[in-house]
Amino acid sequence: MALIKLEDLTKSFINGSTKTEVIHSTNLAVEAGSFLAMTGPSGSGKTTLLTLMGALQTPTKGAVYFKDQNIGALAEKERSKLRLDEFGFILQASNLIPFLTVKEQLELVDRLQGKKRIEEQEELLKRLGIWEQRDHYISELSGGERQRTAIARALYGEPKVLFADEPTASLDRKRALEVIEMFVDLAHNEGMVIIMVTHDDRLLEYVDQVIYMVDGNLQPAE
């Protein structure tokens, strides 16, 4: 059974009297334990499609299913809970909270989910190489450290699906490969679905499936 499924998904935006369809009728099924990369030209609709799948936007037509449930039919409170409990997000705007330290970013997730995972915090931050920065505020971090903090926060809630938009863009080659290898492990050994937007063709050899977005149309790899 597909964990995430798109059926005739379409997204349009209206500006005055002009209607622009940015995602054309799209169908896709992603099984649990899959690491999928989405690539294509800038402005082709990749980020929009990612946010539709993650219930951050609602489709104009069609549906996104998670565990066979149409998430667009849920009330906003239910979608918020879904995003908190089941989805993780690494977006180009990291949305880290500036007045919280690295460790406090994760503690906030614990408070929202009603959990306390001290050992897991340490393990994850060490794995991403930012344990020594755990008491630093976001303004005190380098760009790469901020990105790894955003990755840590996205993974800390143990999501079933991770939506990652250019997750390695601020990382050097060594750190980028460490993160990608971590994603491979989470998908293949923990059953997580990882859907990654990337322009870095060097990363595509690590994923299970590559799909291309061109002018709002999703195309399979040749």
Side-chain angles (χ1 to χ4, degrees), residues 133-169:
Q133 289 78 29
R134 63 190 180 276
D135 294 320
H136 292 190
Y137 291 97
I138 302 308
S139 62
E140 300 172 316
L141 303 177
S142 69
E145 290 166 346
R146 283 195 296 271
Q147 184 70 0
R148 281 178 277 150
T149 301
I151 293 168
R153 193 180 70 173
L155 293 174
Y156 185 64
E158 300 177 334
K160 296 290 189 300
V161 185
L162 176 67
F163 299 100
D165 193 357
E166 300 286 0
T168 63

Side-chain angles (χ1 to χ4, degrees), residues 76-138:
E76 180 52 39
K77 184 176 181 180
E78 294 173 306
R79 286 199 296 271
S80 295
K81 181 172 174 54
L82 179 71
R83 291 191 295 264
L84 175 64
D85 295 339
E86 305 282 10
F87 294 167
F89 297 92
I90 305 167
L91 303 177
Q92 291 189 42
S94 66
N95 297 321
L96 294 169
I97 300 173
F99 55 83
L100 297 181
T101 65
V102 170
K103 186 173 68 172
E104 288 169 344
Q105 307 284 336
L106 305 190
E107 290 172 348
L108 176 61
V109 176
D110 271 347
R111 288 198 294 275
L112 292 172
Q113 292 187 334
K115 299 178 180 180
K116 190 171 184 179
R117 296 166 286 199
I118 296 174
E119 291 182 3
E120 288 85 348
Q121 286 179 25
E122 181 174 350
E123 179 183 354
L124 181 58
L125 294 178
K126 284 183 175 178
R127 190 172 184 182
L128 286 165
I130 47 174
W131 175 246
E132 297 301 321
Q133 289 78 29
R134 63 190 180 276
D135 294 320
H136 292 190
Y137 291 97
I138 302 308

Side-chain angles (χ1 to χ4, degrees), residues 2-7 62-71:
L3 194 65
I4 288 278
K5 184 169 62 175
L6 313 182
E7 288 190 356
V64 179
Y65 291 90
F66 174 69
K67 296 181 179 178
D68 281 342
Q69 183 176 43
N70 182 353
I71 61 178

